[in-house]
Amino acid sequence: MIQVLIVDDDVRVAEINAAYVAKVAGFRVAAQAHSAAQALAVVEEVPVDLVLLDHYLPDRNGLAVVRELRQLGRQVDVIMVTAARDVATVQDAMRHGALQYLVKPFTYAGLRSKLEAYAALRHTLDGGGQAEQAEVDRLFGALWAAGEPDLPKGHSPTTAELVRRALRDADGPLSAQEIAESAESAGMSRQTAQRYLKLLERTGKVRLTLRYGETGRPEHRYAWA
């Protein structure tokens, strides 16, 4: 399990973020902190792999926490989770080793995509060995490529999330009809499911395969990539 420290000055927001993290397979909330001092104390006492770090804290800002973690030699990864949108803060976060920057407000799907990309990155790195340039490029781009694609006008984020969830939870490829008939997507038409599947395929999130039946006409089936 990847042990996560949630750092946010707002207790309610910290609880929401903790609930989000707890829903993602492979992740466990190790602790919560509501100030820079509490966050640094927790890292000293509790095994932590990843810190979800707010920038606006009552005693010091999040970038100061990242700098001190690095100065202390603490081998923890950091994803900034904050409402700070100015380019200077984003740039400083990158320079001090934050792996990703998630702007508030965000959806559960947005956070989950970052966490899943982080887990995949850790899995690859834990394998050790040597990497060719293509693999290095993939590793450096993994977290920044993660996220929800911008939806064209007329597309609903809620519907897109239903389609994504059906594919993620499936044991194998699904057709548009199977997605439309799934429990959470009940009431969605096959045409609607097909439209969102094509969008996800174009963004590289979904892989299309063909299955040929007795009629000779191939059935389009989709799997989360």
Side-chain angles (χ1 to χ4, degrees):
M1 298 290 285
I2 295 173
Q3 306 295 323
V4 182
L5 168 61
I6 309 289
V7 184
D8 199 295
D9 66 320
D10 188 320
V11 176
R12 184 180 61 85
V13 172
E15 290 288 350
I16 292 171
N17 291 348
Y20 280 174
V21 171
K23 291 169 63 177
V24 182
F27 289 82
R28 177 182 176 273
V29 177
Q32 296 182 35
H34 309 296
S35 69
Q38 287 181 2
L40 292 167
V42 169
V43 173
E44 288 287 335
E45 300 171 4
V46 179
V48 173
D49 301 306
L50 176 66
V51 181
L52 297 186
L53 179 61
D54 188 16
H55 182 61
Y56 297 118
L57 299 172
D59 46 354
R60 301 165 69 184
N61 65 41
L63 293 180
V65 175
V66 177
R67 285 194 291 269
E68 184 152 348
L69 287 172
R70 298 301 173 241
Q71 290 169 1
L72 294 172
R74 296 292 175 261
Q75 299 301 312
V76 296
D77 295 319
V78 175
I79 294 179
M80 299 294 292
V81 180
T82 176
R85 297 168 179 262
D86 59 288
V87 173
T89 301
V90 176
Q91 191 174 50
D92 280 346
M94 294 173 63
R95 286 173 174 169
H96 288 91
L99 287 179
Q100 183 52 284
Y101 199 104
L102 188 59
V103 177
K104 297 178 180 177
F106 53 86
T107 64
Y108 164 64
L111 177 59
R112 183 182 66 186
S113 69
K114 299 295 186 293
L115 295 180
E116 290 177 343
Y118 171 75
L121 180 63
R122 277 181 60 99
H123 178 74
T124 301
L125 294 176
D126 289 345
Q130 297 184 350
E132 299 296 333
Q133 184 63 52
E135 179 68 5
V136 172
D137 292 342
R138 189 183 69 80
L139 291 175
F140 271 84
L143 282 170
W144 291 99
E148 299 176 82
D150 292 330
L151 294 175
K153 185 177 180 179
H155 287 71
S156 161
T158 302
T159 304
E161 173 60 16
L162 288 174
V163 174
R164 279 195 291 267
R165 192 178 304 164
L167 291 170
R168 284 177 182 273
D169 295 343
D171 294 328
L174 298 175
S175 67
Q177 185 64 40
E178 288 170 331
I179 290 175
E181 293 174 352
S182 66
E184 288 187 289
S185 304
M188 182 189 304
S189 70
R190 187 193 67 80
Q191 290 78 10
T192 297
Q194 186 73 53
R195 185 156 55 100
Y196 283 82
L197 287 167
K198 287 184 178 298
L199 172 64
L200 291 170
E201 183 195 358
R202 287 198 302 271
T203 60
K205 298 290 186 181
V206 165
R207 185 175 62 253
L208 169 65
T209 59
L210 300 177
R211 186 173 71 178
Y212 289 86
E214 294 180 357
T215 62
R217 183 178 181 180
E219 178 186 43
H220 289 201
R221 301 184 68 79
Y222 300 85
W224 192 252

